[in-house]
Amino acid sequence: MNKIPNLSDLSRSAPAYSAQGFCAAEPFSESDTLNSAAAQTPPRQNDSAENSLNLTSENSLNSAAQNFLNLNPQSSASPQSAKLYQKPIIVITGGEPLLHHKEALFYEFVCELLARGHAVHFETNGTIFVDFEKFPAYKSCVFAVSPKLSNSAEPRERRLSFAALRNLRQNAKDSFYKFVISPEFDVQPEISEILAACESEVYCMPRGADRRELESDAQFCVDFCLKNGYNYSDRLHIRIWGEKDGV
């Protein structure tokens, strides 16, 4: 796994087990993760930049949705992916990928991933209100939601949208919160406020750009999770490869 901004490391993992609010996470490889820029421009034959801009029509959106709803996931699986014991989870991150959720090419890409039998996860800050009725494929996606806290220096009205959080919780296949924990900033009051407005499962991971920082903060994060009944997720790629990119 690679270091990416906006707390994206947690999106590369899925809960392996949970007991009494404590959870370990199983990592996925860098090849399982696609950023939002790649998601917007999947390979297309005979497709120019001008043609791509013309894909925002209602017919294109409806066609993509219909293909997703009608296509047998196994029928379009490639021979190479069929050899996998378990298809990789595709994590679409950013930036903020949901800024593009209404774009036809982006939506078509998500529909195709789902049709091929992939689980699709989004990394989001939870401020974008998704139209699940017009774009029903997102109902089959999982959303890892990382609301920005006051230590981000963002104005409250820009970093918190409880309506958008509730919309994700009520309509998506699943959604959960994730926060990076460090001793210098007490996140519990703000997490409690968010949970009071929209309850969901909470995952916490220690800050850790390198092994030294990870070792320093991991015990604090574990204790924080045990105290508050949250799930703990480690940064195994940092423990194994340190600051190496592309793993």
Side-chain angles (χ1 to χ4, degrees), residues 15-170:
Y17 60 88
S18 182
Q20 298 181 346
F22 189 87
C23 178
E26 178 183 353
F28 292 87
S29 67
E30 174 69 15
S31 62
D32 300 339
T33 304
L34 303 176
N35 62 33
S36 58
Q40 296 177 65
T41 55
R44 299 173 62 88
Q45 294 182 346
N46 302 322
D47 194 13
S48 65
E50 181 178 357
N51 289 336
S52 296
L53 292 176
N54 290 334
L55 285 176
T56 55
S57 68
E58 189 74 20
N59 288 337
S60 179
L61 292 174
N62 291 337
S63 175
Q66 194 61 44
N67 288 339
F68 163 67
L69 294 172
N70 294 337
L71 193 60
N72 184 331
Q74 299 303 320
S75 65
S76 61
S78 68
Q80 186 175 19
S81 64
K83 297 178 183 178
L84 296 175
Y85 177 73
Q86 180 178 345
K87 291 189 177 182
I89 294 175
I90 306 299
V91 182
I92 303 177
T93 181
E96 175 49 60
L98 293 185
L99 288 172
H100 311 287
H101 82 278
K102 296 181 179 180
E103 296 177 12
L105 188 58
F106 183 90
Y107 187 60
E108 181 181 350
F109 175 71
V110 172
C111 289
E112 179 64 18
L113 291 174
L114 292 166
R116 289 173 179 264
H118 291 283
V120 177
H121 291 201
F122 279 91
E123 283 284 322
T124 177
N125 62 25
T127 62
I128 307 297
F129 196 93
V130 176
D131 188 342
F132 284 95
E133 296 308 313
K134 187 174 182 180
F135 304 94
Y138 296 126
K139 294 181 180 181
S140 297
C141 299
V142 175
F143 293 82
V145 186
S146 299
K148 291 186 178 181
L149 304 178
S150 59
N151 62 346
S152 69
E154 287 278 351
R156 178 185 173 88
E157 60 273 14
R158 291 184 58 185
R159 59 183 175 82
L160 288 178
S161 173
F162 295 134
L165 295 177
R166 286 190 288 266
N167 182 49
L168 290 173
R169 187 63 185 159
Q170 292 167 3

